Amino acid sequence: MGDPITINIVIEQDIVVARQKGRALAKELGFNIVDQCRITTCISELARNIFHYAQKGIVQLRDINSDNRMGIEIVAEDQGPGINDINLAMLDGYSTSQGLGMGLPGTRRLMDEFFLNSEAGKGTRVTVRKWIDPGRLMQNW
């Protein structure tokens, strides 16, 4: 495992920075273009949640290895208001911000592993992982 890349999410532009760094790491690790887009979308959703609901937090990116598999781990963490009802927040279509309600449920579908810990008044931590499928490694055209 490499050292994590930490992006502080404080202003809206930090969401773009997190996306760019995540895409660069995914490409470096050998993810194909489709998985790079999935990873980038996930980072965007998680960073946007931090910005909109907690105002500040961090996104950490790192390469991971387990059982002869390589992948990427993304951790989004804040000390914001937390999620009052996790089950409700994970329902497709549910949104507290008049959005499409695809953020957390969509992120869960895009990634291979999804872990959510949140406590009202104390913050939220989302950890997601995407593993490289050996059959779908990046092609050098």
Side-chain angles (χ1 to χ4, degrees):
M1 237 190 274
D3 291 333
I5 300 166
T6 301
I7 304 98
N8 291 311
I9 306 297
V10 180
I11 61 173
E12 197 163 12
Q13 182 63 28
D14 296 332
I15 299 167
V16 176
V17 172
R19 284 176 56 97
Q20 290 170 338
K21 290 188 178 194
R23 183 181 289 276
L25 179 58
K27 185 175 182 180
E28 178 184 317
L29 292 173
F31 281 97
N32 64 45
I33 192 74
V34 173
D35 283 339
Q36 288 176 40
C37 289
R38 288 179 177 129
I39 290 164
T40 303
T41 299
C42 170
I43 292 167
S44 181
E45 291 291 342
L46 294 174
R48 191 170 312 286
N49 281 353
I50 290 171
F51 180 73
H52 284 293
Y53 297 110
Q55 284 73 56
K56 63 181 179 177
I58 62 165
V59 171
Q60 286 190 323
L61 314 167
R62 75 175 73 208
D63 61 292
I64 53 174
N65 293 294
S66 177
D67 298 325
N68 295 321
R69 298 186 302 170
M70 288 181 44
I72 189 169
E73 179 180 78
I74 302 151
V75 176
E77 188 169 20
D78 65 63
Q79 309 302 298
I83 300 171
N84 289 323
D85 187 337
I86 292 174
N87 291 327
L88 184 59
M90 293 305 297
L91 289 176
D92 282 327
Y94 175 76
S95 176
T96 58
S97 63
Q98 288 70 52
L100 297 176
M102 296 302 291
L104 291 174
T107 297
R108 180 176 57 191
R109 281 191 299 276
L110 290 173
M111 303 302 280
D112 297 323
E113 297 178 22
F114 179 95
F115 307 95
L116 171 62
N117 295 302
S118 187
E119 189 173 340
K122 295 195 176 182
T124 301
R125 179 184 174 103
V126 179
T127 302
V128 295
R129 296 184 186 110
K130 186 76 173 166
W131 299 101
I132 295 176
D133 177 352
R136 296 185 65 189
L137 285 171
M138 184 171 63
Q139 302 289 323
N140 292 325
W141 302 103

